[in-house]
Amino acid sequence: MAIPALADDATGALEAGAKFAHHGLPARIWFWPEQPDTGDLTGSNGAVVDTESRHLAPADAFARICQSASPGVDHLYKKTDSTLRGNITAGFRALMTAYPSRPLVYVPAYPDMGRTGKTRRRTADNTRCQWIKLAASSRRSRQPGVDDKACFMV
């Protein structure tokens, strides 16, 4: 079973590919606008797509991530910046649109790198980062099904 991953920049794509390789999965990375073919998503491999969406307008990031989502996959890994930079909410909305019957679980912690969260506060090396508004912004949108499919663990 292939495990596709979407990253919002080249650094994240390379990091995801390295993690796949570390665990014995051959990894291939496509850099925007390249996209994997359906055949690239079969077998035991890591397929990583760099969507180059971090610095786009949210609507453009949404469209690009929807375009890059691969139908028919069992699991998908969405690589985000560990300090929550980029179009995180737009990315999650895109994935919930592309995979409407699938749950979305987000765990934005990387304790080994000093990235932690507590009481909706994000810290990097004990320095406060931006206020985490992901769950609140999803609830405000009142999109059908958003609240019961998104689990933001902070």
Side-chain angles (χ1 to χ4, degrees):
M1 168 184 68
I3 302 174
L6 298 178
D8 65 359
D9 70 354
T11 303
L14 293 169
E15 181 183 348
K19 291 288 185 186
F20 285 137
H22 177 76
H23 291 284
L25 291 174
R28 179 163 176 208
I29 301 171
W30 287 264
F31 296 96
W32 185 263
E34 294 180 327
Q35 298 287 309
D37 295 323
T38 304
D40 295 318
L41 300 176
T42 60
S44 294
N45 61 40
V48 184
V49 176
D50 168 17
T51 63
E52 281 300 314
S53 58
R54 180 176 295 179
H55 301 292
L56 295 177
D60 295 333
F62 175 90
R64 188 171 290 183
I65 293 166
C66 281
Q67 181 181 347
S68 298
S70 303
V73 298
D74 293 325
H75 297 90
L76 179 121
Y77 175 69
K78 175 65 173 92
K79 171 69 175 84
T80 61
D81 179 73
S82 66
T83 60
L84 304 179
R85 292 177 295 175
N87 287 297
I88 294 178
T89 301
F92 290 151
R93 287 188 177 140
L95 294 176
M96 293 165 75
T97 299
Y99 305 101
S101 64
R102 300 290 178 91
L104 171 67
V105 178
Y106 185 50
V107 184
Y110 196 169
D112 291 347
M113 294 289 294
R115 276 40 167 183
T116 58
K118 183 176 181 181
T119 318
R120 296 179 65 201
R121 299 271 183 207
R122 182 77 172 154
T123 60
D125 299 321
N126 294 317
T127 302
R128 187 185 309 176
C129 296
Q130 69 189 54
W131 180 259
I132 299 174
K133 296 182 180 178
L134 298 176
S137 65
S138 292
R139 279 195 295 273
R140 274 197 306 274
S141 70
R142 293 294 177 207
Q143 292 177 344
V146 168
D147 294 327
D148 59 341
K149 293 181 187 166
C151 175
F152 300 100
M153 301 174 69
V154 294

